[in-house]
Amino acid sequence: MQWRGLVRLLTWNVNGLRAVCCKEGGGSLSKLLADVACDIVCFQETKLSLAQLDASLALPVGYWAFYSCCRVKEGYSGVATFCRKDTVPVLHAEEGITGQLIPNGTSSGDTRWSAARGSVGGPYPDAPSGDGKDFVELDSEGRCVVTDHGQFLLFNLYIPNAASPERLEFKLHYLEQLQRRVHALLKAGRQVILCGDWNIPPEAKDVFSPKLYLRDSSALTGKVLSTWFEHPCMRWLQEFQYPGKLSPAAEGSTEQPPLMKEMFRHFFPERSDVFTCWDQKTNAREANIGSRIDYFVVSMAQVPLVAACAVHKHKKGSDHCPVELQLTIETVQSPPLTTSPPPLDLCTATMPCFLKHQCSIAGFCRSTQPPTPSPPASTPTPSTRSPPDLPPPMQSTTPPVTEAPTRKHNASSELTAAPALKRACTTSKPQSNSGHVATSKRKTKQQRQQGEQSLERFFKKV
């Protein structure tokens, strides 16, 4: 059965997942996800290691969780993708952009890992000769989670920041490999959505002061930048979306059809006062002195399916604000989807430490009461979502039992017991009400006499 519906995606650099859970989620990741109420939630800069994951972070209510944590420095970078169980299918998941990163706790000779390589979207491009950067080094900082949802591949990205010339070189190598991977997927016929903290303002209008931004960037590049697209990162982003657009005609290259498109500019091409990141030290958010470096980039075939894109600038808890995308999707299975965890090593629900925790929770919630006989075929079972027109007869005092009773089931049990209580009250009433009528007449006569006596005393005083 084919299902067509609107899916909400959200990206947010939370600047510490546990911190934003305390600020905006009441200390709970499940409450935070329920508050944003999106089908796919992508967080960046989680600042978590796998050893710091507990059940509340690894098993949020109603979502599958996929983490990529930094392996070279604790409390640094990290991304996480959360997919709602009953809405969006997750076919595959992968950590990193190169496909060469071995999952934590897996040896290089593990046949499961070897068989899974290349499963997310297709084969990976080979490393170019003279690249100079090891693929494992590029992915060891926990900056990407790739999930395959059938209709599209989703890249949850935290692009490196260029705080020094060395980090600028690392960033450019990272962007080069990302471009090779995405373009290979598009060539293979797959559709791609990229979101996250790019650390690249797309245009000059996406920063509060373009001149100041270029002046500070000149110290990193080693040359004076006079125009926006002289910066190597801004130039890369344009060429990533529109190949050949910035290439000089003397080079013999021609402009090609666009491959990708940034969605906020698609809906708001002229806006210049919308930012997603502000400096907390200078309290710049109140004055709206910031930059727009968080956004969605979508392959051209998916652009007509995008219904809206919004920046939630009033949502606090971090130095960034969330960005939301609404996308129309079609799946071959109508929701709700299966609640069993997807067979993916990257999914926290399949990790051995959390599998044991889930079993203990299931055992705690399982009812110890003996099951009642199955109802007749004409009577709806207690698991039916719509309540029956009439309550079942009260033949037994034992309520029907399911494996894990819910609040809705308890409420139906109370409604079922209500007719019996009504019948008990009815049988306790006297069959005749003649005595009650006589008592009421006596009370009325006494009240009338008391009123007449009060009036007589009043007129005597006058």
Side-chain angles (χ1 to χ4, degrees), residues 192-194 198 240-241 260-262 295-299:
V192 182
I193 296 177
L194 302 99
W198 294 73
F240 177 67
Q241 300 177 76
M260 313 285 294
K261 196 167 188 181
E262 196 263 299
Y295 41 86
F296 285 85
V297 176
V298 178
S299 57

Side-chain angles (χ1 to χ4, degrees), residues 227-248:
T227 61
W228 189 254
F229 294 111
E230 287 182 2
H231 194 291
C233 294
M234 287 63 153
R235 184 182 183 86
W236 173 89
L237 184 60
Q238 279 292 307
E239 290 289 342
F240 177 67
Q241 300 177 76
Y242 311 99
K245 183 176 182 179
L246 299 179
S247 301

